Amino acid sequence: MFKDHPVTGVGLGQYKDNYQHKYISHKAKEPKLSHAHNNFMQMLAENGIIGFAGFLTLIFCFIFYSFKRFIEGNNPYALMMCVSSLALVLQGMTEYNFGNSAVMKSFWLVQGCLLVLSANWKKLQIARNEDL
């Protein structure tokens, strides 16, 4: 699909129809496949280079930002943000987890909580030290 539509892809949510009607091999063991079992391949097929660049920018900026915050302030919540993002990417190498709403809702909920904790980490440390 990516080779045939390299710039814009086949369209968001169009992988299943295109795979089952145009790209299916007569030797396929799973002819009813609805998604690629890889986030990167799914994004390339559906969104082309343009969408894939946006996808990579989102993921790697998030990882870089959180890792930078960890290095600069030894912030454990920033490290948790980085590691959970890397875990999502790693698991996404064998499954299209960006298409699973339960997984993504959980991921963004955890990331949001960690972002708030990370932003307030210094205040939390000061409050803890005052209590001691």
Side-chain angles (χ1 to χ4, degrees):
M1 282 183 227
F2 174 68
K3 285 181 183 178
D4 290 344
H5 307 277
V7 178
T8 60
V10 295
L12 192 59
Q14 299 300 312
Y15 182 91
K16 179 181 177 180
D17 290 337
N18 279 281
Y19 175 76
Q20 291 178 359
H21 295 109
K22 285 174 126 178
Y23 295 97
I24 187 77
S25 169
H26 65 282
K27 297 178 184 178
K29 293 180 182 179
E30 293 189 42
K32 303 280 187 210
L33 198 62
S34 63
H35 60 272
H37 284 279
N38 183 305
N39 283 335
F40 299 105
M41 294 298 119
Q42 183 83 19
M43 289 294 168
L44 277 171
E46 286 189 348
N47 304 310
I49 290 291
I50 294 171
F52 188 67
F55 171 70
L56 287 180
T57 301
L58 170 74
I59 295 299
F60 290 112
C61 281
F62 204 77
I63 291 170
F64 177 76
Y65 166 78
S66 57
F67 189 70
K68 182 180 171 189
R69 282 187 82 162
F70 168 68
I71 294 296
E72 288 174 350
N74 204 23
N75 187 328
Y77 300 112
L79 179 62
M80 288 182 222
M81 288 170 54
C82 181
V83 170
S84 61
S85 297
L86 286 170
L88 184 77
V89 169
L90 183 62
Q91 197 266 337
M93 300 294 271
T94 60
E95 185 57 57
Y96 176 54
N97 51 22
F98 268 68
N100 185 334
S101 66
V103 170
M104 293 314 299
K105 286 175 186 175
S106 299
F107 173 75
W108 288 116
L109 175 68
V110 167
Q111 291 300 85
C113 292
L114 288 172
L115 187 60
V116 170
L117 289 168
S118 175
N120 294 309
W121 183 64
K122 294 264 187 221
K123 293 176 191 174
L124 293 170
Q125 254 189 335
I126 291 169
R128 193 179 102 223
N129 289 337
E130 287 175 358
D131 288 343
L132 296 175

